Amino acid sequence: MALNAHIYPKIGACRIASIRQADVRELVAKWSATATPTTVHLRYGVLAIVMKAAAKERVLAGSPCRHAVVCGLEAGGGARVVCRKDDEAR
C-alpha cells in the first residue's frame, strides 16, 4: 500500500537512477508534515528497501537512502523535528 499510495505518486514518473538523497529528504519532509512519525518511518522503510534492491541489482550505483540525513517528527511527547543519519531501513 505504501508504494502505490505514497511513493509512486511522488517519484513514480522519475527514472530510478535520477533519484538523489535530496529527493529522499524532501519526500520524508513532505510525509512528516501530514503523517505520524510511525507512518513516515514505515513509508521510508519501504522506499529504502526498493532502493537497496535496485542497488543490489546494479540499477543504481548505491541507494540514495543510504547515509541520507532524514528529518522527521520525533515519536512520543513532543512534535520536535529530529534529523539523523540513516544507514538503510532496519
Side-chain angles (χ1 to χ4, degrees):
M1 170 138 173
L3 274 173
N4 291 331
H6 303 287
I7 297 172
Y8 288 150
K10 303 294 183 194
I11 62 171
C14 301
R15 291 183 48 91
I16 198 164
S18 72
I19 298 170
R20 305 285 177 238
Q21 284 185 350
D23 302 317
V24 172
R25 287 190 299 271
E26 181 181 333
L27 187 55
V28 170
K30 286 180 182 178
W31 290 335
S32 295
T34 59
T36 67
T38 300
T39 300
V40 173
H41 180 75
L42 292 172
R43 290 176 189 172
Y44 175 77
V46 171
L47 178 63
I49 289 167
V50 170
M51 294 299 173
K52 187 175 182 178
K56 184 176 180 181
E57 293 297 320
R58 293 194 164 84
V59 173
L60 297 172
S63 170
C65 295
R66 187 163 180 79
H67 303 299
V69 175
V70 177
C71 295
L73 296 176
E74 184 178 59
R80 195 165 73 101
V81 174
V82 182
C83 298
R84 63 181 167 75
K85 193 169 188 176
D86 200 336
D87 291 325
E88 295 287 339
R90 288 159 186 60

